[in-house]
Amino acid sequence: MHLATIRTGTTTRAVKRVDSGTSPVLVDLGYVDLGALLADPDGLTRAAAIDGGTTYDAATADFAPPVINPDKVICVSHNYGEHYRVLGLNIPESPRLSTKFSTALIGANDEIVKPADAHALDCAVELAIVIGRTVRHASDDEAAAAIAGFTVMNDVTDRDLEFQAEEWGLGNIWDRSTPIGPYLVTPDDLPGGIAPTLALTTTIDGRPVQSGSTADLHFDPVHVVRRASRFMELRPGDIVATGSPSSPAHDHGPEAHLQAGQRIVVSIDGIGECRNTVVAADA
């Protein structure tokens, strides 16, 4: 299934994409967002069974983040083999984890707000896991069962702040800086299922700046979920970003840093893409 959360006037609705005719439609699933759907133990089963009701045009839909207010947003740093090699880093024994806040998340087509004091922003496509059931101290089987599906994230980061503070997480927690979505795609709809093999790309104003494949992930999604669950209870709707391929902008020097007016597209085959314009903050 391809599931999403869309804005409809003053509220939001969880929807399922149905590819019928010449244009896909989005079928209302009866929940305010995918977070509420995933919190219902029967939510995914009910979503699969719905084939009619209120519909919306997928082509004109206003996509919100799939989960409006996740309890946790967890990020893995440097998780692609090629990225380790490009940066000359030793591969760690376990995933390096950091966090974001839900206020950083924006919809797949929303504007990325560039803070006035952020001078070295870059972008990075990431496969993000969406948790579908509560899990703690997970085994491999439990971690796999906890993965509801996958979505696309653009992990926009201020490299100056990150390296100045010598802290991996501080540079990527800006409000309204992290596009995610548009769809949560369940594993049964992806090649490789719970460990999908998918191409990832990033372009800036149509210029390719990043490409890779999730086949190059050093720590696969099950490993990442198992590791994160060692330290915290993962709950339905939590987001776990799995890291980015090589060649994000900071690998290419200051000329590659994001500027207001630029158009960023991050894409993962089989899931979708985030298409966002960078805008300057009011203050």
Side-chain angles (χ1 to χ4, degrees):
M1 291 185 292
H2 282 58
L3 309 175
T5 299
I6 61 170
R7 304 180 181 107
T8 59
T10 59
T11 188
T12 57
R13 304 300 298 167
V15 295
K16 176 175 69 172
R17 191 180 80 186
V18 177
D19 297 318
S20 60
T22 58
S23 178
V25 297
L26 303 174
V27 178
D28 196 297
L29 298 176
Y31 299 86
V32 72
D33 81 326
L34 294 186
L37 183 150
L38 294 172
D40 178 352
D42 298 320
L44 287 173
T45 301
R46 290 177 177 175
I50 291 174
D51 59 5
T54 302
T55 62
Y56 311 89
D57 183 0
T60 59
D62 182 8
F63 289 96
V67 179
I68 299 296
N69 189 29
D71 187 67
K72 303 175 194 68
V73 183
I74 302 163
C75 303
V76 178
S77 300
H78 302 138
N79 193 22
Y80 281 75
E82 180 64 18
H83 205 183
Y84 287 117
R85 292 187 288 273
V86 167
L87 297 180
L89 299 175
N90 293 324
I91 297 176
E93 294 183 0
S94 58
R96 294 168 173 163
L97 304 180
S98 60
T99 58
K100 284 182 182 284
F101 301 105
S102 60
T103 53
L105 302 182
I106 60 176
N109 302 310
D110 292 345
E111 294 175 333
I112 297 170
V113 178
K114 180 181 184 294
D117 56 348
H119 305 296
L121 288 187
D122 75 12
C123 51
V125 61
E126 301 203 17
L127 177 73
I129 301 162
V130 184
I131 299 297
R133 63 175 66 175
T134 300
V135 66
R136 182 79 160 94
H137 298 297
S139 66
D140 280 350
D141 288 345
E142 290 167 338
I147 297 174
F150 300 93
T151 190
V152 182
M153 176 184 283
N154 182 356
D155 186 19
V156 174
T157 302
D158 179 6
R159 298 299 175 183
D160 275 355
L161 181 58
E162 182 179 73
F163 294 133
Q164 179 186 44
E166 296 184 355
E167 201 281 324
W168 289 114
L170 194 59
N172 63 2
I173 61 172
W174 299 108
D175 287 345
R176 295 190 54 79
S177 65
T178 304
I180 187 169
Y183 293 104
L184 179 165
V185 181
T186 53
D188 58 301
D189 255 8
L190 295 171
I194 213 70
T197 299
L198 307 167
L200 311 87
T201 60
T202 300
T203 64
I204 299 176
D205 291 335
R207 174 175 56 90
V209 298
Q210 193 176 29
S211 64
S213 169
T214 58
D216 193 37
L217 279 170
H218 183 71
F219 300 109
D220 67 21
V222 169
H223 188 130
V224 169
V225 170
R226 190 184 74 232
R227 175 68 173 176
S229 77
R230 174 184 174 185
F231 304 102
M232 66 203 84
E233 180 180 82
L234 299 179
R235 300 173 179 174
D238 284 350
I239 307 294
V240 186
T242 59
S244 182
S246 63
S247 300
H250 77 281
D251 293 343
H252 295 293
E255 69 279 0
H257 294 149
L258 301 183
Q259 304 298 325
Q262 289 182 320
R263 183 73 162 168
I264 315 303
V265 180
V266 296
S267 177
I268 302 180
D269 285 357
I271 298 180
E273 60 186 22
C274 297
R275 305 176 66 90
N276 311 89
T277 300
V278 182
V279 299
D282 294 334

